[in-house]
Amino acid sequence: MAGFRREVSSLGALATFEAAARLQGFTRAAEELGVTQAAVSRQIKLLEDELNIALFLRGHRKVALTPAGLTLSRALTGAFDQVSEALDTIRRPAEGKTVTVAATLAFTHFWLLPRLPAFRAAHPEVQLRLVSQDSGFDLRRDAVDVLVHYGRPPVDGARCLATLAERVFPVCAPDLAGQPLEALPLISCEWTEPTWMGWRRWAQRAGMAPVTRRSALRFSQYSDAIYAAIGGEGAALGWQALVGMHLEDGRLVRLGEAEVVPDEVNMLLVPVTRRPGKPAQVFIDWLVGAFERAQT
């Protein structure tokens, strides 16, 4: 950054130039920046003097970029877009206006996203921010309004408002449904959480013969494992809440009758330290109803 500042003394001049180049005129740039046209002209002249090259060709009521100006314009537009995206990523929404919803990648992908259009159609006034990660959340520390967490209650710093139970059973593509599980390649997910159930643990709890063979395919993300099963690569363990829609549309079929009901459940959690605002309460009420409907 220090080297950059030695090259150009005024970041304001670069911002002014970027606006004039993007809007193709000093007057339009002045209107966007809230300054006079003369101020825009002075800033760009300062930049040209520092770089010792013309950036614009001046004409009667018209300006055009020189080759040097075009090169700088492209670089600045890309850089400013990256800065803008970074600011949007780290900016904390104004409290009460945006509902921050957190969940695992799999739950967001398979359960929440397919249902969001219905919520947004019913409540277009509610702004949502979805945060998906598998490393977990702490409602005592993280700026989260609503958390869907898979585990056992109670959870420190959280109130549980609703639960969604799970059932775990093998699933595969319809073309493979006629084969026994023992004949199919196994697809697994490398998940280190103690609540996660792999093939060996599932077979033990389901009263099945021990699974001793290695998985043919291993993935770091559950969504990849399920899409591999949909693609006919073998059998994967399906969590009912996550693969339910794929079972309904026929992209996946259940393999056999054996299943395990885990001790853990999907929990709708809110922080104990603050009451939900009105937009958050609207989303919570909808999510409670969605959990209830998913279990009927």
Side-chain angles (χ1 to χ4, degrees):
M1 186 64 182
F4 174 76
R5 287 188 179 276
R6 285 195 296 269
E7 294 292 334
V8 179
S9 61
S10 173
L11 293 177
L14 289 175
T16 300
F17 166 78
E18 189 278 333
R22 174 168 41 84
L23 299 171
Q24 300 181 353
F26 292 1
T27 301
R28 291 180 181 177
E31 293 172 352
E32 180 178 281
L33 298 171
V35 298
T36 64
Q37 191 269 351
V40 170
S41 182
R42 284 196 300 271
Q43 288 274 37
I44 292 176
K45 184 63 169 63
L46 170 66
L47 186 59
E48 290 177 324
D49 290 344
E50 289 196 12
L51 297 176
N52 195 32
I53 194 169
L55 300 174
F56 284 99
L57 296 174
R58 276 82 166 172
H60 181 61
R61 296 184 179 180
K62 186 178 180 181
V63 296
L65 287 168
T66 64
L70 182 60
T71 298
L72 182 59
S73 172
R74 289 171 175 169
L76 286 177
T77 298
F80 286 175
D81 285 345
Q82 287 183 321
V83 171
S84 178
E85 290 175 1
L87 291 174
D88 286 342
T89 299
I90 67 175
R91 179 181 289 115
R92 177 173 293 182
E95 186 173 354
K97 293 184 178 180
T98 300
V99 183
T100 299
V101 183
T104 63
L105 292 167
F107 191 88
T108 299
H109 185 99
F110 286 123
W111 197 93
L112 188 54
L113 286 180
R115 292 169 171 82
L116 272 188
F119 172 79
R120 290 178 54 77
H123 305 282
E125 76 285 357
V126 177
Q127 302 174 21
L128 295 176
R129 175 175 177 257
L130 303 183
V131 182
S132 304
Q133 65 184 42
D134 290 337
S135 57
F137 298 88
D138 188 339
L139 290 180
R140 298 167 298 184
R141 179 192 67 236
D142 300 326
V144 171
D145 298 305
V146 180
L147 169 64
V148 178
H149 172 71
Y150 181 71
R152 303 183 192 180
V155 176
D156 291 342
R159 287 189 297 126
C160 181
L161 304 183
T163 61
L164 177 61
E166 279 286 11
R167 292 181 293 133
V168 185
F169 42 80
V171 295
C172 64
D175 291 345
L176 303 179
Q179 303 183 45
L181 178 61
E182 295 76 15
L184 294 178
L186 298 182
I187 302 170
S188 63
C189 181
E190 297 175 350
W191 188 248
T192 58
E193 290 292 323
T195 56
W196 190 255
M197 191 179 303
W199 280 105
R200 292 182 182 179
R201 184 181 170 197
W202 177 85
Q204 182 181 27
R205 293 196 56 180
M208 305 285 288
V211 175
T212 57
R213 55 197 171 108
R214 296 180 60 85
S215 297
L217 282 173
R218 303 178 68 88
F219 294 93
S220 61
Q221 295 294 333
Y222 183 68
S223 57
D224 294 337
I226 290 302
Y227 283 121
I230 290 174
E233 296 292 341
L237 284 175
W239 267 249
Q240 172 64 39
L242 301 182
V243 302
M245 286 191 171
H246 291 316
L247 293 171
E248 292 175 5
D249 65 21
R251 299 177 72 186
L252 286 174
V253 295
R254 180 168 173 167
L255 194 62
E257 298 298 324
E259 68 177 23
V260 171
V261 178
D263 299 323
E264 298 80 17
V265 293
N266 297 290
M267 296 177 286
L268 193 171
L269 305 176
V270 297
V272 296
T273 55
R274 64 180 185 274
R275 293 178 60 84
K278 183 177 179 180
Q281 191 60 57
V282 170
F283 183 79
I284 289 168
D285 292 342
W286 172 81
L287 197 56
V288 169
F291 272 25
E292 292 174 351
R293 289 189 294 274
Q295 295 182 115
T296 56

